[in-house]
Amino acid sequence: MAYLLDWIALAGFLLCWVSYTHYAKRAAQSRHSLSSVMHHFRHDWIRRMLERHNRVADMAAVGNLERNSAFFASSSLFAIAGLITVLAASEQVVALLGDITLLQASSRTLLEIKIGALIAIYVYGFLSFTWSMRQYGFLSVMLGAAPMPGESDPEGSREAFVTHTAKVMDLAAKQFNYGLRAVYFSLAALGWLMGPIGLLLFTVAIVLVLNRREFHSATLKQLVKAQGL
């Protein structure tokens, strides 16, 4: 039964992460959230793009979104490399952390478990960010193939293009959000260095921050007003 409290805290951490993900997805279907409001902006963007002959700015905007994902993917790799380095020197790290009053004294095995959990979180974040990058790449191709103003519109193909292109953009943004959420929860996982109670407290704090920004932020209110929802 060694580390029982730590395993319980880890289970609570994972439960909060998964539960918040499902909550955010369902809540966005019935109330305003950053993701649901941005969906309307994406539709408007693609619809207006089809009315323009010059689409350089649209391609540049998609490229900027792709670079954001690339930045976080690279950062995740650096974090993984750093954590593997810490894992390789776990004996010295245990001794170093033992001198810090706020941190709970850990055995080498428990520290390696904590570092391993952080590595797993960043691996998940890396996979999410890279998949987001690929989807933005697909989106660039779709924009390049977009019909031009004045072209024939057989069976409402232009509106179908708007719908499906905006959906691809939504999917890319969703993967980016998943990766960003992993970064947030990796900060919560740092609380585990203070012990199982620290992990749970940090996790609750991160969930509250995410909920506040997604559903109650001043930015959301301005986006809703701008969209006229």
Side-chain angles (χ1 to χ4, degrees), residues 1-131:
M1 299 299 287
Y3 316 132
L4 177 60
L5 289 178
D6 290 282
W7 289 119
I8 292 173
L10 180 59
F13 166 81
L14 294 173
L15 180 62
C16 286
W17 187 349
V18 173
S19 298
Y20 180 77
T21 299
H22 284 286
Y23 161 75
K25 183 178 179 181
R26 290 184 176 275
Q29 297 172 358
S30 58
R31 56 190 287 199
H32 294 314
S33 71
L34 290 177
S35 58
S36 66
V37 173
M38 290 306 297
H39 171 76
H40 294 285
F41 279 103
R42 293 182 187 112
H43 262 269
D44 290 345
W45 176 8
I46 302 302
R47 186 173 289 109
R48 289 188 172 90
M49 184 204 70
L50 295 185
E51 301 171 358
R52 294 191 288 268
H53 286 279
N54 189 337
R55 295 164 179 175
V56 174
D58 303 291
M59 297 296 287
V62 173
N64 185 56
L65 293 171
E66 188 174 0
R67 282 191 294 274
N68 287 340
S69 296
F71 169 77
F72 280 101
S74 300
S75 299
S76 297
L77 279 181
F78 286 131
I80 291 168
L83 289 168
I84 290 175
T85 302
V86 171
L87 201 58
S90 56
E91 238 182 272
Q92 295 93 316
V93 174
V94 169
L96 179 64
L97 294 179
D99 294 332
I100 302 176
T101 307
L102 289 177
L103 303 185
Q104 182 192 50
S106 297
S107 66
R108 180 177 177 180
T109 300
L110 182 56
L111 178 65
E112 289 175 351
I113 292 172
K114 293 176 180 179
I115 299 302
L118 275 170
I119 291 173
I121 292 171
Y122 280 110
V123 167
Y124 171 79
F126 172 78
L127 294 174
S128 297
F129 289 128
T130 51
W131 182 225

Side-chain angles (χ1 to χ4, degrees), residues 151-160:
E151 285 187 10
S152 60
D153 184 21
E155 300 180 358
S157 60
R158 294 173 72 88
E159 189 58 34

Side-chain angles (χ1 to χ4, degrees), residues 12-13 16-17 19-21 23-24 31 34 181 184-185 188 199-218:
F13 166 81
C16 286
W17 187 349
S19 298
Y20 180 77
T21 299
Y23 161 75
R31 56 190 287 199
L34 290 177
R181 200 169 287 158
Y184 274 93
F185 277 97
L199 174 59
L200 292 176
L201 290 177
F202 275 51
T203 301
V204 171
I206 289 297
V207 168
L208 292 175
V209 168
L210 288 173
N211 182 70
R212 172 81 173 83
R213 293 183 175 182
E214 181 73 17
F215 296 100
H216 305 285
S217 64

